[in-house]
Amino acid sequence: MFDIVHINLEECISMPGGTQRSTTPRDLAADPDAWPHATVLGHPQARVVQALARALGARLEEQGLSLRQAAALTGVNRQAIVNLLGGISWPDVVTVSLLEDGLGVALWPGAASPASTEC
């Protein structure tokens, strides 16, 4: 019926997102203190997080929302929002989707609408 999948620990460590996540997106910027407007070279995934942070910050400002209000609207923990805005974390798909749905805006670079509306 189902095949049992055996996971090799060494493969997990080398998988994208494994140990690479020990460095924050912010720390991959040329000038971390200028996050999210700093130059990020050589790490496209950090640039995606940077674009998410810029879009989220702009939306919060446009709507005049506090972090607490944004958390209530989206169901995303306030600290998770702070961490994304500050480039301290690598947000997961659930977090990005909840933020997009709760704020009614696409945050993912190049997206015209929240991803969940396209599914």
Side-chain angles (χ1 to χ4, degrees):
M1 180 182 236
F2 291 105
D3 291 330
I4 296 176
V5 177
H6 296 280
I7 299 174
N8 180 333
L9 184 57
E10 289 176 17
E11 289 176 9
C12 288
I13 292 173
S14 66
M15 290 173 60
T19 57
Q20 293 177 18
R21 288 186 181 218
S22 62
T23 301
T24 68
R26 173 191 179 101
D27 288 337
L28 294 167
D31 179 7
D33 291 335
W35 183 270
H37 303 288
T39 301
V40 177
L41 297 174
H43 203 294
Q45 293 75 29
R47 288 195 303 272
V48 169
V49 176
Q50 184 180 44
L52 290 167
R54 283 195 304 255
L56 176 57
R59 187 58 171 195
L60 295 179
E61 189 174 319
E62 284 171 16
Q63 292 186 352
L65 295 173
S66 70
L67 295 172
R68 208 172 290 265
Q69 291 168 319
L73 281 173
T74 63
V76 174
N77 179 288
R78 185 190 63 79
Q79 190 61 51
I81 296 171
V82 168
N83 291 347
L84 171 54
L85 289 169
I88 298 167
S89 67
W90 296 92
D92 60 24
V93 172
V94 173
T95 300
V96 174
S97 182
L98 286 169
L99 288 167
E100 287 186 336
D101 289 345
L103 298 173
V105 65
L107 298 175
W108 194 264
S113 60
S116 66
T117 64
E118 304 298 323
C119 299

